[in-house]
Amino acid sequence: MPSTPTPDPLPPLAQCLDAQALARLQELDPNGANKLLERVIAAYVKSLERLLPELANARGANLDLNLVRHVTHTLKSSSASLGALALAERCAEIETMARSGQTDGLEPLLDGMLAQVIQVRQALLSMLPHIP
């Protein structure tokens, strides 16, 4: 008799998120009564809506390394807390470059970071119906 496959605890897009980090957040609200994870995800998405346009304005001919540093620093911390560890690492790399004034190779890193942000955002939003 074939066995029934066990479903992944997270939707496929959520594979870009660290399950242990998400579990630690869920431990703070084990039965979901306070909707902590849902609120944290909503706050993260809202911060993206504020930070990404700022980052877009700080790129290209109007390069503002201080703003790039600020945005990546903010995203580094919040992404790590939600388990988007690869994104947090990329943000840390860009933050270090911006802090030291290094611009060579910065634009491709920012493009890659934005692609990761889109993936993480989709993964987080896809989790909302799966939150207890």
Side-chain angles (χ1 to χ4, degrees):
M1 241 166 102
S3 64
T4 306
T6 306
D8 286 337
L10 301 175
L13 277 175
Q15 299 306 315
C16 65
L17 303 172
D18 180 70
Q20 290 178 336
L22 291 169
R24 283 191 296 273
L25 274 174
Q26 286 181 319
E27 286 172 7
L28 298 173
D29 184 19
N31 63 6
N34 294 314
K35 299 188 183 293
L36 177 67
L37 191 53
E38 187 175 303
R39 290 189 336 223
V40 170
I41 290 171
Y44 181 82
V45 169
K46 187 171 182 144
S47 74
L48 290 177
E49 292 169 0
R50 180 180 50 83
L51 293 170
L52 295 182
E54 288 180 18
L55 182 61
N57 290 332
R59 294 183 67 182
N62 299 321
L63 185 61
D64 181 343
L65 289 177
N66 285 328
L67 189 52
V68 169
R69 181 194 54 74
H70 167 72
V71 169
T72 55
H73 175 79
T74 302
L75 284 177
K76 174 185 68 175
S77 304
S78 58
S79 297
S81 70
L82 279 165
L85 304 182
L87 175 56
E89 287 176 27
R90 170 113 17 151
C91 289
E93 182 180 359
I94 296 169
E95 179 188 9
T96 299
M97 288 177 70
R99 189 180 309 279
S100 67
Q102 183 182 350
T103 58
D104 288 341
L106 183 63
E107 287 295 326
L109 283 175
L110 287 168
D111 290 340
M113 182 194 83
L114 291 173
Q116 284 179 294
V117 164
I118 290 167
Q119 184 181 24
V120 166
R121 182 182 181 277
Q122 288 176 332
L124 289 170
L125 291 176
S126 73
M127 286 178 53
L128 290 178
H130 299 282
I131 297 172

